[in-house]
Amino acid sequence: MGSPAVATALVSASLLVLGAAPGGGQPPLPARMADTGGGTQLITAVAAKASATSGTVTWWELGNGRWVKAGSAAARFGANGLVEGASRKQGTHTTPAGLYELPYAFGIKAAPSGTTYTYRPVRERSWWCQDKDSRVYNRWSEPRAKDCRAAESEHLIAYEKQYAYAMVIGFNYAKPVRGRGAGIFLHVNGSGATAGCVSVSADAMRRILKWADPGQQPHIAIGTTGGRTAITRY
């Protein structure tokens, strides 16, 4: 059996690897998660419970082996709360819990000064196809594809407030499963809970866009503080 000094050193080293706070405090949230996407930037969107429609968005940076909070803001979620992303159904007004990539940003307004993320301007002919029968399901379509029904899609420019600034959340994006859901974004607050997106204030979106560095491979993790959709599972 090793000496007490050696054991203490090993415990201390383990805490440093986990990103524990100095003095033995609880490690920051990213250090307690099963996965953070492999990059050095992470956005967490956390609600107190699955039925909640509000919570907190925090953005983090990894440096010298430790996750450090870079900013936070109040957030809104789907009108019917959060559900496991893998079992979500389209049209349920639920926000999908899970860990996702952030493919690109977009907006009706110009990108905030200092933005380095790919930023696509919204134009009059910009649509997000949510038509399950379309070949461009869960994709930006400009102009709207002939097989994508307008009634089953979002005319992006019509959401002047919400899509002033936004980031695509890669839920059901890489290989879309028809009927699971389309058009899940991180965007500016509307008048209340969302249809399934995560929303924050316009100021917070500007701060996030100026902070996000594509070279650091930022991801977003969405979940609750505990239970089946606990963010630490992702």
Side-chain angles (χ1 to χ4, degrees):
M1 183 175 179
S3 69
V6 172
T8 300
L10 288 172
V11 170
S12 299
S14 298
L15 290 174
L16 286 172
V17 170
L18 290 171
Q26 188 179 44
L29 177 56
R32 292 181 274 123
M33 291 171 55
D35 189 6
T36 56
T40 52
Q41 286 188 335
L42 179 71
I43 299 172
T44 56
V46 185
K49 54 185 179 180
S51 61
T53 61
S54 62
T56 304
V57 159
T58 305
W59 45 109
W60 307 81
E61 292 184 345
L62 179 64
N64 298 319
R66 286 187 52 78
W67 285 99
V68 178
K69 184 186 297 186
S72 65
R76 299 303 303 268
F77 298 99
N80 289 321
L82 291 78
V83 297
E84 180 69 45
S87 59
R88 184 183 185 271
K89 289 181 172 57
Q90 186 162 319
T92 54
H93 288 194
T94 52
T95 298
L99 176 68
Y100 307 107
E101 295 181 347
L102 294 161
Y104 60 91
F106 67 92
I108 295 172
K109 293 187 176 182
S113 177
T115 300
T116 59
Y117 225 75
T118 298
Y119 191 90
R120 189 167 186 174
V122 173
R123 309 180 196 278
E124 180 60 38
R125 299 202 301 169
S126 304
W127 291 75
W128 195 274
C129 185
Q130 299 180 353
D131 187 339
K132 297 186 292 292
D133 297 323
S134 173
R135 59 185 174 78
V136 293
Y137 175 65
N138 201 21
R139 288 291 186 272
W140 183 296
S141 184
E142 186 175 330
R144 180 172 51 84
K146 291 182 179 180
D147 70 344
C148 182
R149 292 169 291 176
E152 299 292 328
S153 304
E154 284 192 347
H155 191 198
L156 297 177
I157 204 165
Y159 297 85
E160 183 177 0
K161 183 177 182 181
Q162 292 94 325
Y163 298 157
Y165 310 105
M167 297 183 83
V168 176
I169 294 175
F171 165 72
N172 199 32
Y173 188 79
K175 296 180 179 180
V177 175
R178 297 177 187 278
R180 183 165 290 170
I184 301 297
F185 311 127
L186 172 63
H187 64 68
V188 177
N189 286 330
S191 59
T194 73
C197 296
V198 178
S199 70
V200 294
S201 69
D203 177 67
M205 276 305 308
R206 285 190 290 266
R207 290 161 61 198
I208 290 169
L209 287 169
K210 290 191 283 188
W211 160 84
D213 179 354
Q216 296 191 54
Q217 300 177 319
H219 285 64
I220 184 168
I222 303 168
T224 51
T225 55
R228 294 182 60 185
T229 52
I231 196 167
T232 50
R233 294 181 54 231
Y234 304 113

